[in-house]
Amino acid sequence: MLTVVKRFGIGWREPFESVLVSVQVLSFDVAMFSVSCVTQPGPVGLFTLRALMIPMLAFVALVVHICYLLFTRSKTFQMSNLLRTIGSIVLVIFIILFSMLLAPYQCNEHPNGKMTLKRYKTVFCNGADDHLAMILIGGFACLMPIIFLVVVTWTVMLELPRRIARSDTQFLAACGFLIKRFRPGMEMASVFFLIRNACVALCPLVSDTPGQLLMMSIILYVNSMMVAFFQPWRFLICNLLDNVLLGGMMVILNLGSVAVQESVPEETSTVAVLFLVLMGFCILGTICHGAYKHLQQKYRKQFRYFLCHQKNAAGSMARLLKMEIEKRLPGTKTFIDSDDLTDLTRLFSYVGQDTQNFLVLRSPDILTRQWCVGEMVTARANGVNTMLLTWPRFLLPDESFIAKYPMMVPDITELTKYGIGLGDVQDSFRWLATVPQQSLPEQISPTSTHFMVSSLVSFGQSRHSKNQSRGTYQSEFDTNFPVLVDPGNSEAVAAAMVLASLLKPALLGTNLPLPFIQLGGVKVPQEATRSLLICSSGCFKSEQLQTWLLQASRLPKCCMIPVITQDAFEMPSGAFFMELQTTSKLTDGEFPAKFGVKVIKALFQEIAVVFTPESYASTHQDLQLRAKQAASRLIANLQPLEEKVSKLQTKFGRQTSMEEILRAKNVTKGGEESVDCNKALPLSEPFEKNQLPSDYVSQAF
């Protein structure tokens, strides 16, 4: 851009004038080099040399590529690498090239009325002789940047989406010089910046200097707003640097408008140099920041562990592992997307560049999740230390599964824009069989979780690690605050352990005991005063949980609050209660099955607490807030579950039982069940159809 500014005809003074002269070296100005000892090129010859710069650079790249193939004895001509090299060169010098080729169309009028070219002062702008030759050469040479712009636009807008749909990673590699600098989904930015460069190169064609300054200022203002709004660059610091450089260029243009009016030209030139130096320091600072990040990623990763998991099947387990690992390794971070992922386009860079140990929580359907598969492919490609934590029902993918995978998960092609092809996915599935594995314990408990985390930490610690695992295991002791959870549901147990861990600091300083996870086969403590029942999918069909409910309902001081930990949990309905009375073990001889139904109904007289670690929106701060809300509920005065059940029994004793109503039911058309209230309820007076008194309606319901 500075080479374009130099051609605006602004009367810059020192020291900025010397800066603009020096940047001509970057513009491949052949006239600045001493070639008189070799040849004496005239204006046409000099212009021709400049016009042939791109073909000559392409030829040099071809020679270098052939030499590389001969040196490595490779028999494959890597066209994609050659095209990427040439494309990168054209992108870098696009403004310089285009502005040089437009020199025959820029004339300068002299006092005698004659006009000469601004760049070649010995050539008259008469459309004949040397000028005509340069116009023809420049016209044909301008086809090179124009064709390049058209090809890039066609590639990005039309061909790239089709190749992504076909998972053509080789095509994406060949176009890497266009799209890899930008965030996925912002590939169009490469076309925008190329059009911007073409417009900048056209600015000197404007006849007067104020018009040139105005045109270039408008271009840069639009560019700055676009970068600020869309943030197209892959990394945030690049977006910041781009806007800083654009701001510096706009200041220089404003100073140029002052210099045109010849007011304090020396001061304006000094200020322009100052801003140019500041821009240079910004570029240098960005380079240093990049070097520091590179060394940091190589020797000290941002995340000690990355937990690759399927949210609805292992979200609570991932949250529990993150808390336990960070507790075991103070000062380290464990990546979980709910807490650490704010930009989806950076997901794979976190895996490949910022992670020391990659832990896959292999729940049964994790291989059907495209983002999890993309994380595995990235970990394999970057050689990240990987370990698998396998669920009991998980099977390694066989060749039949690998072959049918594109039909089973058609959305896997969306990973192509990130450079991940179907072949990479299939190779990664075969690679999984070679990765160290550890099985998830059959019964999740604080003890089994401790030893599982110890094994994971031991695997992830390297010889050079400074953060060693600290602390010995202290088993939980039973208190008067049991947390009741379906022991057969590992996700529910993990959610209960997360909740108990967050509740303990919130309950310190109160008169309440600290919560503990109730183990299977152990009775609810007789002196229990508080209890939480973890409501998960199908939890009330668990015999162990039914037994605990019966035990808690006979304790005089036990106050219980239901906690919903899974989105799949459904509140018990009438049909569920009917099924429960006939199939469940919610009875022990002394109490009939209908008593167990009353216990569940009494339980939900308390408003349930929602605590879902598996949710995408459940950050650590959100879970802490929900745990504090649960603590405030526990501290308040609560009615024991036994009293609620007694009141419910008394109420039902004064009314016609549900069984009497159901025995009198008739099945109507459409399969819906209705109740013949004339048979089921004693009425003091007859009533017409559809005129049932309100007290009998409420009694029936």
Side-chain angles (χ1 to χ4, degrees):
M1 290 186 180
L2 289 175
T3 61
V4 174
V5 171
K6 186 180 185 304
R7 297 169 188 168
F8 283 176
I10 301 174
W12 295 105
R13 302 294 178 87
E14 295 294 342
F16 193 65
E17 176 65 23
S18 298
V19 174
L20 293 179
V21 172
S22 63
V23 298
Q24 288 188 1
V25 177
L26 301 177
S27 66
F28 299 93
D29 193 341
V30 183
M32 291 192 64
F33 302 98
S34 179
V35 295
S36 59
C37 59
V38 179
T39 182
Q40 292 288 343
V44 177
L46 189 60
F47 180 71
T48 304
L49 285 176
R50 289 169 175 165
L52 294 175
M53 182 175 60
I54 289 297
M56 288 188 295
L57 290 176
F59 177 75
V60 171
L62 176 61
V63 171
V64 171
H65 186 64
I66 293 175
C67 293
Y68 167 77
L69 296 178
L70 294 175
F71 180 76
T72 59
R73 299 181 180 179
S74 176
K75 298 180 180 180
T76 304
F77 187 80
Q78 301 174 359
M79 180 59 72
S80 61
N81 289 346
L82 182 61
L83 292 178
R84 187 163 60 244
T85 301
I86 297 175
S88 300
I89 293 174
V90 176
L91 278 181
V92 170
I93 64 173
F94 187 86
I95 293 179
I96 298 170
L97 172 67
F98 207 1
S99 61
M100 283 194 310
L101 298 179
L102 294 174
Y105 308 97
Q106 303 171 33
C107 298
N108 188 21
E109 186 174 1
H110 295 276
N112 59 4
K114 294 184 178 182
M115 301 176 66
T116 59
L117 295 181
K118 290 183 178 180
R119 190 76 180 276
Y120 304 90
K121 302 185 183 302
T122 61
V123 179
F124 289 98
C125 291
N126 53 12
D129 302 327
D130 289 348
H131 188 216
L132 178 60
M134 295 176 68
I135 289 176
L136 295 176
I137 295 172
F140 282 109
C142 283
L143 293 177
M144 290 188 294
I146 293 174
I147 292 175
F148 181 78
L149 177 58
V150 172
V151 170
V152 168
T153 304
W154 171 81
T155 300
V156 173
M157 297 185 64
L158 301 177
E159 191 63 19
L160 185 62
R162 289 197 289 262
R163 296 301 182 103
I164 290 177
R166 297 205 298 261
S167 299
D168 190 347
T169 54
Q170 291 184 351
F171 182 82
L172 263 69
C175 300
F177 70 96
L178 288 175
I179 61 178
K180 282 194 174 182
R181 298 171 295 153
F182 304 104
R183 295 188 295 111
M186 290 301 300
E187 292 83 4
M188 275 296 299
S190 60
V191 178
F192 170 82
F193 283 114
L194 206 56
I195 294 175
R196 178 210 65 180
N197 293 345
C199 294
V200 168
L202 292 173
C203 288
L205 295 181
V206 179
S207 59
D208 57 340
T209 300
Q212 295 169 345
L213 292 170
L214 176 62
M215 180 178 177
M216 192 165 182
S217 298
I218 293 174
I219 294 171
L220 297 186
Y221 278 120
V222 172
N223 187 6
S224 180
M225 289 188 292
M226 179 267 183
V227 172
F229 185 78
F230 293 104
Q231 298 186 2
W233 300 104
R234 185 174 290 269
F235 299 105
L236 176 62
I237 192 171
C238 296
N239 293 296
L240 297 176
L241 176 64
D242 197 359
N243 261 328
V244 168
L245 297 181
L246 289 172
M249 284 299 304
M250 286 186 281
V251 169
I252 292 175
L253 292 178
N254 292 334
L255 293 173
S257 63
V258 174
V260 169
Q261 303 173 3
E262 295 185 352
S263 58
V264 290
E266 292 81 4
E267 287 77 2
T268 56
S269 296
T270 303
V271 174
V273 171
L274 176 61
F275 272 89
L276 199 60
V277 171
L278 291 176
M279 293 162 64
F281 275 116
C282 290
I283 296 174
L284 182 61
T286 305
I287 294 174
C288 294
H289 177 270
Y292 169 75
K293 293 291 291 184
H294 173 74
L295 294 175
Q296 184 185 44
Q297 292 167 359
K298 186 175 182 180
Y299 298 105
R300 185 178 180 181
K301 304 292 186 179
Q302 181 179 357
F303 300 104
R304 177 63 67 87
Y305 287 87
F306 185 106
L307 302 182
C308 172
H309 63 284
Q310 178 188 356
K311 273 295 178 187
N312 59 354
S316 298
M317 181 60 67
R319 174 64 61 181
L320 176 63
L321 290 176
K322 173 183 170 70
M323 294 173 60
E324 292 297 322
I325 291 174
E326 291 183 348
K327 187 187 302 181
R328 197 75 59 85
L329 298 173
T332 64
K333 291 184 65 177
T334 298
F335 182 97
I336 187 172
D337 51 6
S338 300
D339 291 344
D340 304 297
L341 184 63
T342 56
D343 184 358
L344 184 61
T345 61
R346 289 216 59 200
L347 175 63
F348 298 141
S349 65
Y350 282 135
V351 176
Q353 301 172 10
D354 298 325
T355 298
Q356 181 175 330
N357 300 292
F358 183 71
L359 179 60
V360 182
L361 276 60
R362 285 172 52 177
S363 52
D365 296 328
I366 190 173
L367 296 184
T368 63
R369 299 299 186 267
Q370 61 191 29
W371 297 112
C372 296
V373 173
E375 293 166 3
M376 298 177 199
V377 174
T378 306
R380 168 180 167 269
N382 291 274
V384 182
N385 193 28
T386 303
M387 186 177 185
L388 308 179
L389 182 63
T390 59
W391 264 236
R393 296 188 303 275
F394 183 87
L395 298 176
L396 285 171
D398 54 15
E399 289 299 327
S400 175
F401 175 87
I402 294 174
K404 297 178 181 178
Y405 188 75
M407 295 179 289
M408 298 169 57
V409 188
D411 292 341
I412 198 66
T413 56
E414 294 184 10
L415 297 178
T416 307
K417 67 177 68 174
Y418 299 93
I420 299 175
L422 181 59
D424 300 321
V425 172
Q426 294 172 332
D427 291 340
S428 297
F429 286 166
R430 299 183 182 96
W431 165 75
L432 288 176
T434 65
V435 173
Q437 301 184 27
Q438 178 176 331
S439 298
L440 189 74
E442 294 184 3
Q443 292 292 331
I444 303 298
S445 66
T447 303
S448 63
T449 301
H450 170 81
F451 291 109
M452 176 180 64
V453 172
S454 297
S455 178
L456 297 176
V457 170
S458 299
F459 171 79
Q461 283 181 335
S462 63
R463 292 176 301 176
H464 305 288
S465 176
K466 296 181 180 180
N467 298 92
Q468 301 297 326
S469 175
R470 73 178 188 184
T472 57
Y473 175 62
Q474 296 180 352
S475 60
E476 285 191 338
F477 54 90
D478 295 352
T479 65
N480 295 328
F481 187 170
V483 179
L484 308 180
V485 57
D486 179 8
N489 189 331
S490 60
E491 271 295 276
V493 177
M497 293 178 65
V498 171
L499 177 58
S501 178
L502 295 177
L503 273 177
K504 289 176 181 178
L507 294 177
L508 289 177
T510 66
N511 295 325
L512 296 179
L514 298 180
F516 75 97
I517 306 301
Q518 182 80 21
L519 300 180
V522 180
K523 290 186 177 181
V524 178
Q526 292 294 319
E527 300 299 324
T529 57
R530 293 290 188 273
S531 179
L532 296 175
L533 186 123
I534 304 301
C535 299
S536 56
S537 178
C539 63
F540 291 113
K541 296 181 180 180
S542 167
E543 294 185 13
Q544 180 63 77
L545 199 65
Q546 294 172 7
T547 303
W548 283 335
L549 269 176
L550 283 177
Q551 295 172 0
S553 66
R554 293 183 293 224
L555 301 179
K557 299 180 181 179
C558 184
C559 304
M560 184 177 292
I561 297 178
V563 180
I564 299 175
T565 60
Q566 289 183 330
D567 294 333
F569 173 76
E570 295 181 359
M571 295 293 292
S573 61
F576 172 79
F577 288 136
M578 291 173 56
E579 178 186 358
L580 198 63
Q581 290 186 84
T582 58
T583 63
S584 76
K585 303 293 183 181
L586 211 60
T587 178
D588 59 2
E590 180 183 356
F591 296 95
K594 62 182 181 181
F595 177 78
V597 173
K598 292 185 178 67
V599 172
I600 297 178
K601 291 183 177 180
L603 170 68
F604 283 100
Q605 287 182 357
E606 285 286 344
I607 298 176
V609 174
V610 179
F611 185 85
T612 53
E614 67 175 22
S615 173
Y616 286 96
S618 294
T619 63
H620 185 72
Q621 291 77 11
D622 177 69
L623 294 177
Q624 282 183 319
L625 178 60
R626 291 181 181 274
K628 290 180 180 179
Q629 293 173 344
S632 64
R633 291 276 305 278
L634 291 165
I635 295 172
N637 292 326
L638 297 174
Q639 187 178 9
L641 181 63
E642 189 267 343
E643 290 184 14
K644 295 180 183 179
V645 175
S646 299
K647 290 182 179 180
L648 205 58
Q649 283 186 291
T650 303
K651 178 180 178 181
F652 270 80
R654 294 195 302 265
Q655 298 178 350
T656 302
S657 67
M658 181 182 294
E659 286 79 9
E660 294 178 19
I661 298 176
L662 294 176
R663 281 196 298 270
K665 65 182 171 64
N666 294 322
V667 179
T668 61
K669 291 185 293 181
E672 297 181 353
E673 295 182 351
S674 63
V675 178
D676 188 346
C677 293
N678 286 298
K679 297 179 181 179
L681 302 177
L683 301 177
S684 58
E685 57 183 0
F687 59 91
E688 299 296 331
K689 185 177 181 181
N690 298 330
Q691 296 180 356
L692 188 64
S694 60
D695 56 338
Y696 286 102
V697 174
S698 61
Q699 182 178 347
F701 277 100

